[in-house]
Amino acid sequence: MALTRYKAKRNFDLTPEPAGAEPEPHARAALSFVVQKHAASRLHYDFRLEWNGVLLSWAVPKGPSLDPSQKRLAMAVEDHPLEYGSFEGTIPEGEYGGGTVMVWDTGTWEPEGTDDVDAALTQGELKFALHGKKLRGSWVLVRTRGMGKSNAASWLLIKHRDRYATADDIAAAKPKSVLSRRSMAGIARAHGGDVEKASQADGPA
Ligand code: MN
């Protein structure tokens, strides 16, 4: 059910992305999260939280910020399979999301203030803690008002004020993969991707 949209968008004969087993919700010691940097037609970061056997996913054009004054637009996109959380490589140009993908951060997460994550998502406000290598502390995802069907996908990702909050630009300070220590260009080079486009995603050296 939950991966129907994910599978419909992709041709698994052509993309190296995981086809995804059907989710089997089961008790786990901890819920995972991942942030993938994705140099598609537009550079963005994909923010994914494990829930009910899939990765709930938001595309964040500017990426997460540790600065509580920075409210980052996060567009809800299709659920992804859990295996996607370790996917790093290059989706062929012309395929859905064509471009290079980096595992920019990963770790575990937990809801804050409630155990009823489904209700929080329905109400449009999910508070949570991240235990990653780059992203830590307390955060919130808030669905933007304006409502109506067309705006249902639009959320804001905001850092709460705590000891992990900082005005430093984490994306610029720690640009490399937490899986492989590679740059976007390094991943593109290893997987036959567009190295120039990936280099632009790496930003000024
Ligand atoms: Mn993406």
Side-chain angles (χ1 to χ4, degrees), residues 48 74 153 168:
R48 311 189 197 278
D168 296 346

Side-chain angles (χ1 to χ4, degrees), residues 9-139:
K9 287 170 181 285
R10 292 167 174 81
N11 180 342
F12 296 105
D13 293 333
L14 297 175
T15 179
E17 297 165 292
E22 280 306 312
E24 292 178 46
H26 55 283
R28 286 169 60 105
L31 297 164
S32 64
F33 86 91
V34 63
V35 181
Q36 282 156 316
K37 187 172 179 178
H38 185 185
S41 50
R42 287 185 185 206
L43 176 65
H44 61 275
Y45 292 72
D46 290 294
F47 182 77
R48 311 189 197 278
L49 297 175
E50 177 184 354
W51 186 246
N52 285 342
V54 296
L55 293 171
L56 307 179
S57 296
W58 290 261
V60 184
K62 292 186 175 179
S65 173
L66 294 174
D67 183 345
S69 73
Q70 297 290 316
K71 298 173 179 169
R72 293 291 162 86
L73 178 66
M75 299 301 294
V77 297
E78 75 274 18
D79 297 343
H80 279 52
L82 287 183
E83 310 96 278
Y84 208 95
S86 57
F87 174 72
E88 190 170 86
T90 295
I91 302 166
E93 295 299 329
E95 294 306 304
Y96 180 71
T100 293
V101 176
M102 167 196 284
V103 177
W104 182 78
D105 196 20
T106 190
T108 62
W109 77 280
E110 58 194 313
E112 286 188 331
T114 179
D115 286 328
D116 196 340
V117 172
D118 292 310
L121 290 166
T122 300
Q123 287 158 20
E125 183 171 339
L126 175 65
K127 294 174 182 153
F128 54 96
L130 296 180
H131 312 285
K133 295 186 172 74
K134 299 174 184 175
L135 302 182
R136 294 186 164 269
S138 183
W139 300 71

